[in-house]
Amino acid sequence: MNKFDFIVHSSGGNDSIALQQYLLNKGKNFAVLYNDTGWARDDWKIRIEDVIDWCAAYEVPFFKTEGEGMEALVRRKKGWPMPASNMQFCTQELKEKPTLAWLDKHDPNSELTCVNGVRREESQNRRTAPEWVDSSPRHGGRELWSPLVRHLEAERNSLIDQA
């Protein structure tokens, strides 16, 4: 059994930081899960260290998945992922599969609610994103909550300032 009820899927980006602060403000019992794809800018490592420090300061558990990495994945697939082809494998291989493996190991009874920082304002693709999904296939059938879905940039930025 976990000592937390929610698992935040964090990229370390602005929406993820705002989400963490939102949950802290609401008194939610959560942990943070970061997928290290091995394909981040050098300065991103510093950003993630800041996320780890923030979690430690508030006693929020922080977990990280590490897969084969982007370079090894491209070699194995024998090509670079192309948006207009059937070679869109990065997110699935470097984020979704490691996340599901972590969830299966740490939450085998699917008791956790997965949480992400999706906001409708972000893009046309997300303009109709739901706040709740009762059974998300990308999260092993677990509930998925997107509490910032209606937050505008100014509201998100206010949460970032608090963090």
Side-chain angles (χ1 to χ4, degrees), residues 111-125:
E111 296 171 343
L112 291 176
T113 297
C114 297
V115 189
N116 68 26
V118 166
R119 293 182 313 108
R120 291 179 181 163
E121 183 186 51
E122 287 180 274
S123 70
Q124 281 296 102
N125 290 341

Side-chain angles (χ1 to χ4, degrees), residues 32-152:
V32 172
L33 178 63
Y34 169 70
N35 298 112
D36 186 348
T37 64
W39 195 252
R41 303 180 322 236
D42 288 339
D43 63 336
W44 202 253
K45 292 174 187 171
I46 296 167
R47 175 80 176 220
I48 298 306
E49 287 299 322
D50 289 343
V51 171
I52 292 169
D53 291 345
W54 182 95
C55 288
Y58 293 104
E59 299 180 358
V60 172
F62 178 89
F63 300 95
K64 178 170 72 168
T65 68
E66 293 181 34
E68 64 184 310
M70 183 67 166
E71 284 186 57
L73 177 62
V74 168
R75 283 190 189 101
R76 182 168 57 83
K77 294 287 191 175
K78 296 181 175 40
W80 192 259
M82 304 300 290
S85 75
N86 63 354
M87 291 187 64
Q88 297 177 338
F89 51 77
C90 298
T91 298
Q92 183 180 26
E93 293 289 329
L94 299 175
K95 293 182 178 180
E96 291 176 14
K97 285 183 178 180
T99 294
L100 281 174
W102 187 94
L103 288 167
D104 288 345
K105 179 179 179 180
H106 296 278
D107 183 41
N109 297 324
S110 299
E111 296 171 343
L112 291 176
T113 297
C114 297
V115 189
N116 68 26
V118 166
R119 293 182 313 108
R120 291 179 181 163
E121 183 186 51
E122 287 180 274
S123 70
Q124 281 296 102
N125 290 341
R126 293 184 171 179
R127 74 180 190 277
T128 60
E131 182 174 347
W132 282 98
V133 175
D134 291 331
S135 179
S136 171
R138 289 185 172 175
H139 300 89
R142 290 167 182 84
E143 286 184 319
L144 175 64
W145 181 31
S146 303
L148 302 185
V149 76
R150 291 178 185 82
H151 278 60
L152 301 178

